[in-house]
Amino acid sequence: MTKVVAVVGVTGNQGGSVAKRFLQDARYHVRGLTRDPTSAKAEELAEQGVEVVRADLNDVENLKEAFAGASLIFTVTNYWEPFFRPDCRQKAAELGISCRRHAYDVEYQQGKNMADAAAATCGTLDDNGFIASTLSHAGNCSQGKFKELYHFDAKADVFPGYVRDNHPELAKKMSCVQTGYFMSSYKLAPNSYFVKQADGSFVMRFPTAPTKPVPHLAVNEDTGSFVYAVSQMPPGRSYMAEGWTCSWLDFMRIWSGVTGHKGRYEQVSDTDMIKAAQDQAFGAELNDMFLYSDNPGYDGGDDTLLTAPDIRRASIECPMTTLEQYMRTADWSTVTS
């Protein structure tokens, strides 16, 4: 009997990767959720065999219909979409709150809606049939030091927080997958990742200590294979999806070796990190993330998170892309030219 896997955000980085991996398994029928089934990306996925359905993340009843009968549900929330939208910025101003906080409210509510809708079809889910993309809880893990790292806490407050508190039966079938730094994130913060110098060399500038290791993930290439592997594990566990762990100092060393361009890492102050961003609120959110990555750590200092090697030790295939492998296939012309 074919099982339905419902994938939230099927036209996005994570959802698209998950859909493509489950399409390779004939036991699954992939149902992809998107707000615009007529988009070019949605139509491309439909041609590949995905059942593309319209989903409004602000409408619980609509989500219940989209999730109905699923054996497995993959959820992912998006902080940055409401963060940058002009109408959301205006709404935040009307409410008298920061755009960072407003984006938290939107992401949290959408995550809550997904959890409520998934709970409605909990009976059809496999034992490990609810897999949520999330991050560590910065507020809790830092003992209150980071109170405004909203794109972390909006996820963690729902997955696992809200689910455990409000849907215990769903929680029994849940696995939480934290995602490492996207290896492609340099495209979002060009004034901090690879800043070209007068002598032709490049410098990376973050407030994280040079030798602090952080997890790195090839999001489009590996999220699907990781989630597919997690679905074969027992429920109730938490993971870190990463293909490589290293410091930003080593990141630049590997990048220089691959590209042939001289590069170095420079630890900078909060002020300099924020100032480098074209959008100051964006810079502040990133700055908190990089400081949090320093102490207690990107994963919140949680050494119990399972990784790809742990999954492989359970005799489950879990191929992941190393940082050097990613760099060798990436197009760096937009950075170096």
Side-chain angles (χ1 to χ4, degrees):
M1 180 177 177
T2 303
K3 295 182 176 183
V4 172
V5 52
V7 180
V8 173
V10 73
T11 60
N13 293 324
Q14 295 186 53
S17 183
V18 171
K20 289 176 181 177
R21 179 60 187 88
F22 277 90
L23 277 175
Q24 298 174 32
D25 188 335
R27 295 175 299 172
Y28 287 97
H29 170 77
V30 180
R31 181 185 298 158
L33 283 62
T34 179
R35 62 184 166 188
D36 183 9
T38 65
S39 71
K41 184 64 176 178
E43 291 180 350
E44 177 185 336
L45 288 167
E47 291 176 358
Q48 295 172 10
V50 175
E51 176 198 358
V52 179
V53 300
R54 180 185 174 279
D56 182 352
L57 302 184
N58 298 306
D59 185 339
V60 177
E61 294 306 313
N62 175 239
L63 287 172
K64 286 180 180 179
E65 293 177 7
F67 288 160
S71 296
L72 190 148
I73 296 172
F74 171 75
T75 62
V76 59
T77 54
N78 189 344
Y79 175 86
W80 299 112
E81 197 267 344
F83 179 88
F84 284 113
R85 269 176 42 192
D87 62 322
C88 289
R89 290 283 176 108
Q90 182 178 344
K91 183 64 175 179
E94 293 172 358
L95 294 171
I97 59 177
S98 70
C99 62
R100 295 172 68 188
R101 172 66 202 207
H102 180 62
Y104 165 93
D105 292 341
V106 173
E107 183 179 24
Y108 175 82
Q109 183 61 53
Q110 291 181 345
K112 179 175 173 291
N113 293 344
M114 293 179 209
D116 290 344
T121 194
C122 186
T124 71
L125 295 176
D126 290 344
D127 289 345
N128 189 27
F130 187 58
I131 302 179
S133 174
T134 189
L135 290 170
S136 59
H137 197 291
N140 294 340
C141 295
S142 69
Q143 298 182 336
K145 179 180 179 181
F146 293 94
K147 297 182 174 66
E148 297 181 314
L149 187 44
Y150 290 121
H151 78 283
F152 272 60
D153 291 356
K155 297 172 179 63
D157 278 337
V158 180
F159 311 110
Y162 177 82
V163 175
R164 288 178 177 170
D165 291 343
N166 295 275
H167 300 298
E169 293 306 309
L170 181 64
K172 292 176 183 177
K173 296 186 174 185
M174 178 174 65
S175 290
C176 290
V177 175
Q178 295 184 30
T179 54
Y181 276 98
F182 295 176
M183 295 179 189
S184 56
S185 289
Y186 66 90
K187 300 172 184 177
L188 304 177
N191 295 334
S192 294
Y193 263 87
F194 299 103
V195 183
K196 194 169 186 177
Q197 305 299 290
D199 63 358
S201 65
F202 294 84
V203 61
M204 172 182 281
R205 296 189 174 113
F206 299 142
T208 307
T211 57
K212 179 69 177 185
V214 296
H216 302 278
L217 171 69
V219 59
N220 298 91
E221 294 84 352
D222 291 349
T223 305
S225 58
F226 193 85
V227 169
Y228 180 79
V230 167
S231 72
Q232 301 169 61
M233 294 283 284
R237 301 184 181 185
S238 295
Y239 300 80
M240 174 59 73
E242 58 176 325
W244 196 253
T245 298
C246 69
S247 67
W248 293 112
L249 189 70
D250 285 334
F251 184 104
M252 285 303 285
R253 177 184 56 77
I254 296 171
W255 182 80
S256 294
V258 169
T259 66
H261 293 277
K262 185 177 180 181
R264 62 186 176 86
Y265 179 76
E266 178 183 329
Q267 185 177 6
V268 297
S269 68
D270 300 14
T271 301
D272 287 341
M273 177 70 198
I274 296 172
K275 188 185 300 182
Q278 293 179 330
D279 183 292
Q280 296 300 286
F282 179 61
E285 186 75 22
L286 290 188
N287 181 69
D288 281 354
M289 176 178 66
F290 284 107
L291 287 175
Y292 176 71
S293 297
D294 201 356
N295 185 24
Y298 183 87
D299 59 2
D302 186 353
D303 59 5
T304 68
L305 297 176
L306 301 178
T307 59
D310 296 307
I311 295 174
R312 295 185 196 115
R313 279 191 282 272
S315 300
I316 297 171
E317 290 186 6
C318 188
M320 301 295 283
T321 304
T322 69
L323 187 60
E324 182 173 345
Q325 287 172 335
Y326 173 83
M327 289 180 172
R328 290 196 179 280
T329 59
D331 177 9
W332 296 106
S333 61
T334 57
V335 172
T336 59
S337 60

